[in-house]
Amino acid sequence: MNIICTVVSENYSVKALELCDTIELRLDVLPESVVGRFIEWEKDLIFTCRREGDGGGFRGEEERRLSIISRYVMYADFVDIEYDVDEDFFRSVKRSGVGIIESYHSLKNPGYTYLRDIIEGKKGDILKIAIPGKHKKDIKLILKLHSEYDNLIAFLIGEEYRFTRIISSLSGSPFIYCHAGTPTAPGQFSVEEIYRLRNILTQRVIQ
Amino acid sequence: MNIICTVVSENYSVKALELCDTIELRLDVLPESVVGRFIEWEKDLIFTCRREGDGGGFRGEEERRLSIISRYVMYADFVDIEYDVDEDFFRSVKRSGVGIIESYHSLKNPGYTYLRDIIEGKKGDILKIAIPGKHKKDIKLILKLHSEYDNLIAFLIGEEYRFTRIISSLSGSPFIYCHAGTPTAPGQFSVEEIYRLRNILTQRVIQ
């Protein structure tokens, strides 16, 4: 259970961040000075710049957004790129040797076939799918995707469905997204909660 | 996450049992006097009498085993009956209005098709499948079964795969089996561990 922490504001807890394995820096909302603090820290870094339409804070030309991301590729262990971004951009990031999390964020569940096609045609190393949880069958969909694919992070957004983040993580997804003070999506766990949970799950069993 | 605690010896912790929702009493190993203590307790009760071949302690005629179970039906909320027991026995327990957990325990993973056929032809209310975890693909099997069926408890036996018990529970299985002092299967969590884990998962999120 590799804990990623997403930083979206200056109000983060350093203590919480120290418990993380990886930190995601949201270039759409963080001032450059805050991003700078994290570069050359010992933690692995993910950079992303989320569009307003995907629930982020970036408003502007796509070209400018991609150029912001490009500027940070040299500091990155992973870059998060949306599934609908041009293939050329994926290729250029890949050439730099940086890992790619290809992401699909939506306020609507597009159904199994649509998601399967994204996964089958994936351009990144890891696929991240975050869709809203509304019905019990949405949980079944998450289970089905994880039963069929690896290198997948698939979960439901929403407090009531937050446990699907744990299902995803236990099903072998490479990361679990947490917060260090300010949740970035409904249902997100805090780093401390996941840290405690991980301790319970990995405790050595003495029989 | 309805916590079941399995009692197999007199060395149980009353404090742990108080945290449970349901208690499973193993008639194959518990003395009658211990079983008697639990009857008329406020907890829901499951009765089972496990055969030696299924990892239990009962050696003897099948007819005698079923008659032991029958004796406790009147005190039961659920009775655990093995999938290969005669259909007539299932029918007679069902007539008494008691819930049935139909169980499949095996030291060998028989594969998807075999398990699917058991589920499709199920004679009980809930199906419980416990098979050994050996490969990563065994986890995929558990995910697949849970993505397709309800009223299912399916997990992998073994310390390394104990997290599949959590996957099963989060996937909607009605119970999670724990111990109150003495694990009854490799990888089983203690009641206290699951209680702490459940608290983390169900905490109200304040945003």
Side-chain angles (χ1 to χ4, degrees):
Chain A
M1 215 181 251
N2 189 315
I3 304 178
I4 284 191
C5 196
T6 303
V7 178
V8 287
S9 76
E10 294 196 60
N11 304 320
Y12 54 80
S13 143
V14 174
K15 215 174 135 199
L17 286 186
E18 275 168 0
L19 296 176
C20 297
D21 305 291
T22 306
I23 295 171
E24 182 191 57
L25 296 168
R26 286 271 302 274
L27 301 171
D28 52 309
V29 283
L30 287 175
E32 236 174 286
S33 59
V34 175
V35 175
R37 269 183 235 159
F38 287 98
I39 293 173
E40 296 182 29
W41 216 27
E42 81 273 25
K43 301 288 182 185
D44 283 355
L45 295 179
I46 300 173
F47 289 91
T48 192
C49 183
R50 190 144 306 148
R51 293 177 291 222
E52 202 179 28
D54 293 329
F58 183 84
R59 280 179 251 186
E61 291 297 309
E62 182 69 355
E63 208 178 323
R64 196 166 74 79
R65 193 177 73 90
L66 299 182
S67 83
I68 293 172
I69 296 174
S70 298
R71 217 188 303 155
Y72 288 96
V73 165
M74 62 186 291
Y75 306 113
D77 295 280
F78 281 96
V79 168
D80 180 315
I81 310 172
E82 297 73 11
Y83 80 108
D84 57 355
V85 166
D86 198 84
E87 214 161 323
D88 284 347
F89 189 71
F90 275 89
R91 267 198 290 269
S92 81
V93 173
K94 205 163 252 173
R95 267 198 301 274
S96 70
V98 167
I100 299 175
I101 299 169
E102 180 178 345
S103 62
Y104 176 83
H105 295 89
S106 176
L107 294 172
K108 221 186 114 221
N109 176 348
Y112 171 72
T113 314
Y114 192 89
L115 295 173
R116 183 202 62 198
D117 289 350
I118 292 180
I119 300 171
E120 295 278 352
K122 95 174 162 176
K123 298 165 282 182
D125 304 294
I126 295 166
L127 206 88
K128 178 191 177 193
I129 293 171
I131 50 174
K134 288 196 177 138
H135 309 282
K136 201 175 143 190
K137 69 175 170 43
D138 301 332
I139 305 164
K140 299 281 190 202
L141 172 61
I142 295 298
L143 289 165
K144 185 170 168 64
L145 292 174
H146 276 294
S147 78
E148 293 172 354
Y149 298 102
D150 289 320
N151 292 319
L152 177 69
I153 307 164
F155 58 87
L156 302 175
I157 301 285
E159 268 191 49
E160 208 187 323
Y161 293 91
R162 66 195 314 228
F163 65 88
T164 59
R165 295 168 180 268
I166 309 295
I167 289 180
S168 176
S169 181
L170 294 178
S171 302
S173 82
F175 300 118
I176 181 161
Y177 286 81
C178 304
H179 71 82
T182 316
T184 62
Q188 206 174 42
F189 289 93
S190 72
V191 176
E192 291 87 349
E193 284 173 322
I194 295 303
Y195 198 76
R196 276 188 284 143
L197 198 136
R198 187 166 71 171
N199 279 347
I200 295 171
L201 292 173
T202 56
Q203 242 156 39
R204 224 187 134 261
V205 188
I206 296 147
Q207 300 200 8
Chain B
M1 213 180 253
N2 189 316
I3 304 178
I4 283 191
C5 195
T6 303
V7 179
V8 286
S9 77
E10 294 195 61
N11 304 320
Y12 54 80
S13 142
V14 173
K15 215 174 134 200
L17 286 185
E18 273 167 1
L19 296 175
C20 298
D21 305 292
T22 307
I23 295 170
E24 183 191 57
L25 296 167
R26 286 273 299 277
L27 302 171
D28 52 310
V29 281
L30 287 175
E32 235 174 287
S33 59
V34 176
V35 175
R37 270 183 235 158
F38 287 96
I39 293 173
E40 297 184 28
W41 217 27
E42 80 274 25
K43 303 285 182 186
D44 282 356
L45 294 179
I46 299 173
F47 289 90
T48 192
C49 183
R50 192 146 303 150
R51 293 178 291 222
E52 202 178 27
D54 292 328
F58 183 84
R59 278 179 251 187
E61 292 297 311
E62 182 69 354
E63 207 177 324
R64 195 167 72 81
R65 194 178 72 90
L66 299 183
S67 82
I68 292 173
I69 296 174
S70 299
R71 216 190 303 154
Y72 288 95
V73 165
M74 61 185 292
Y75 306 113
D77 295 278
F78 281 95
V79 168
D80 181 315
I81 309 171
E82 297 74 11
Y83 78 109
D84 57 354
V85 165
D86 199 84
E87 213 160 326
D88 285 346
F89 189 71
F90 276 90
R91 267 199 288 270
S92 81
V93 173
K94 205 163 253 173
R95 266 199 300 274
S96 69
V98 167
I100 299 176
I101 299 170
E102 181 178 345
S103 62
Y104 176 83
H105 295 89
S106 176
L107 294 172
K108 223 186 112 220
N109 176 348
Y112 171 72
T113 314
Y114 192 89
L115 294 174
R116 183 202 60 197
D117 289 351
I118 291 180
I119 300 172
E120 294 278 351
K122 95 173 162 175
K123 297 166 281 182
D125 303 294
I126 295 166
L127 206 88
K128 178 191 178 193
I129 293 171
I131 50 174
K134 285 193 179 143
H135 309 282
K136 202 175 143 190
K137 67 174 172 47
D138 301 332
I139 304 166
K140 299 280 191 203
L141 172 62
I142 296 298
L143 288 166
K144 186 170 167 63
L145 292 174
H146 275 294
S147 78
E148 293 172 354
Y149 298 101
D150 290 318
N151 291 319
L152 177 69
I153 307 163
F155 59 87
L156 302 174
I157 300 286
E159 269 193 44
E160 208 187 322
Y161 293 90
R162 66 196 314 228
F163 65 87
T164 59
R165 295 168 182 267
I166 310 294
I167 290 181
S168 175
S169 180
L170 295 179
S171 301
S173 82
F175 299 117
I176 182 161
Y177 286 80
C178 305
H179 70 83
T182 315
T184 60
Q188 206 174 42
F189 289 94
S190 72
V191 177
E192 292 87 349
E193 284 172 322
I194 295 303
Y195 198 75
R196 277 189 283 143
L197 198 137
R198 186 166 72 171
N199 279 346
I200 295 171
L201 291 174
T202 56
Q203 243 156 37
R204 226 187 132 258
V205 189
I206 296 147
Q207 300 200 8

